[in-house]
Amino acid sequence: MRDDPRLPTSPRFWRSPLRGPWFTSVLGVVLLVGVTALFVTGLVSYAAYNPDLSPVNDKTPDKGVLGFYLFAWPTDPPWLYRFNQGVHVTLGITLIPVLLAKLWSVVPRLFALPPARSLAHALERISLLLLVGGGLFEFVTGVLNVQLDYVFPGSFYPLHFYGAWVFFAAFVAHALLKMPTALRNLRGLREERNDLVPPRPDEPTVSRRGALWFVGGGSLLLFVTTAGQNFDALRRTALLAPHGWADPGSGPNGFQINKTAAYARIAPAETSADVWRLVVTGRSGTLRLSRAQLVGLPLYSSALPIACVEGWSTSDQWWRGVRLRDLAALVGFEDDPPDVFVESLQRHGAFRRAALRANQVADPRSLLALYVNGEDLSPDHGYPARVIVPAAPGVLNTKWVARLTFGDL
C-alpha cells in the first residue's frame, strides 16, 4: 500500500515540483512572525474587556492561570483598541493564503506510513495534529465571527480563547524544533533533500519563487479588501467586511453600528421622554433622572472612535453628554469615582450589561453621551443615552442605558 503510486501513502503520489524544504521554510518563517503577532494582539484584545473586573465581563470564567497577564485596561491613547483590533483582524485574514500554502506544502507527511516510528515520533505527530487542527479552528472561527456568522457551537469568546492557547502552545513547540532546520534551508547551507521532495516530480510550470509571489498576491488582495473597514475614506474597499460596503446613511448619525434598535428589540415607547429615566445608584442613594434633567447638567464633549472586536472601526465622532465621574459625584463619590456597572434596556444578548473600571469612570472624556456630531443620538446609536469611553471595545460602550450602579465591583 505504501508503494502504490495511486495512493497518497506513497511518496510517488505527490508530484508537485514546488514542494521542498526551502519553500516550506519561507512560509514557516512568515507564519512565525505573523502568528506570534496574532496571538499577542488577541491576548491584548481579551485584556481590553477587563474580564477580572466583574463576572459579567468575563466570558471565560474557568481560564485559571491563563489569565496571569491581565491588567487594568488604560484609556490612553484613545485609539488603542481601534489599532490593536484592526491589526489583529486584518493580519489574521491576510495570513490565510500563507497558512493554506504551508499546509499544502507539508500535506504528504499527513499520509506518511507508519504513522509512528517511535514514541518521540508519535508525540511529534500528536503535536502536529494540535498545531494543524488548532490553526484551522482559530482561523475558521475568527473569520466566521468577523462575518457575523455564528454557526459554531457555543460562545465565540471561550472557544477562540482556549483554542488560541492550544494552538499557540503547539506552534511554539513546533517552531523550537524546526527553526534551526528552516534557517539552514533559507541560507542554502544544506542540499534541499527530504521527504517533501517528490521522487518523481512533474515538470514545473512555475518556479518556487513564483509560487511565493502568488501566495503573497493572495494575501495582498485580502489585505486590500479588508483593511479599509478601519478607515472612513477607504471603507468601500472593504468588500469582505460586513461593515465595509454597507451604507450607514448620512448626517451626524451616519456612521457604522453593530446592532440596530430593532435588532435589540428596543421599543420607541421605552425611550420616550415621558417614560425613560436613568437610574443612578451609589453610596448616598438612588436618583432617577429624565433626559431633560441630564441635559440640564454640565455637558462636555469628547472626540472618540468606536472600535469593535470584529475589526471595524470609525474615525473620531464628536460626543456630548454628562461625564461619568460627575454622575458618580451625584451619588456620593465626589473625589474618588469607583467602578460602574452599566445596564441597558436591551434584554437579550451578550454585553447588554457591562462593567467599567474606576480609571475609565474617572477619565474626563468618558461620557454618558446624549448627542453625537451636534445632534441627538439616533435610536440605532443608543438614544436616549449611551456610554462612550476612550480606548474601550465597542461592546463596553453600552447603548440604550437604563441604569448606572457606582461602587467597587
Side-chain angles (χ1 to χ4, degrees), residues 124-286:
E124 180 183 1
R125 296 295 292 270
I126 293 173
S127 70
L128 287 177
L129 178 64
L130 294 175
L131 177 66
V132 175
L136 291 174
F137 178 82
E138 286 298 288
F139 277 82
V140 169
T141 55
V143 169
L144 289 174
N145 185 66
V146 168
Q147 296 299 321
L148 309 179
D149 193 3
Y150 308 112
V151 297
F152 35 76
S155 170
F156 167 76
Y157 296 95
L159 290 174
H160 206 64
F161 178 80
Y162 295 125
W165 279 104
V166 172
F167 167 56
F168 195 70
F171 181 80
V172 169
H174 183 73
L176 292 175
L177 289 172
K178 299 298 183 181
M179 185 51 61
T181 302
L183 293 177
R184 286 195 298 269
N185 288 327
L186 293 176
R187 292 169 182 166
L189 300 180
R190 176 179 293 183
E191 182 181 1
E192 194 167 318
R193 279 287 151 193
N194 69 5
D195 58 332
L196 293 178
V197 179
R200 295 182 181 179
D202 290 333
E203 288 296 320
T205 57
V206 64
S207 68
R208 285 174 177 159
R209 283 183 171 80
L212 289 177
W213 277 109
F214 179 77
V215 174
S219 290
L220 179 61
L221 179 63
L222 290 178
F223 175 82
V224 169
T225 53
T226 301
Q229 65 177 330
N230 298 291
F231 308 96
D232 290 348
L234 301 176
R235 198 169 303 278
R236 287 188 174 274
T237 67
L239 302 178
L240 300 182
H243 294 280
W245 187 255
D247 186 1
S250 59
N253 282 273
F255 55 96
Q256 277 64 28
I257 59 172
N258 215 22
K259 61 181 69 171
T260 65
Y263 176 87
R265 298 179 183 177
I266 305 299
E270 296 178 279
T271 60
S272 68
D274 294 335
V275 173
W276 182 83
R277 296 293 183 270
L278 174 71
V279 179
V280 185
T281 301
R283 61 186 172 194
S284 64
T286 298

Side-chain angles (χ1 to χ4, degrees), residues 13-37:
F13 177 86
W14 308 99
R15 305 292 296 275
S16 174
L18 297 178
R19 287 192 179 92
W22 182 84
F23 185 72
T24 298
S25 297
V26 172
L27 297 171
V29 169
V30 173
L31 287 175
L32 176 64
V33 176
V35 168
T36 301

Side-chain angles (χ1 to χ4, degrees), residues 280 287 289 297-300 321-334 337 361-364 366-367 406:
V280 185
L287 296 176
L289 302 172
L297 295 174
L299 301 182
Y300 296 85
V322 184
R323 295 188 300 193
L324 292 182
R325 68 183 190 183
D326 291 346
L327 290 170
L330 291 177
V331 288
F333 296 98
E334 291 83 1
V361 175
D363 193 295
S366 297
L367 302 176
F406 291 93

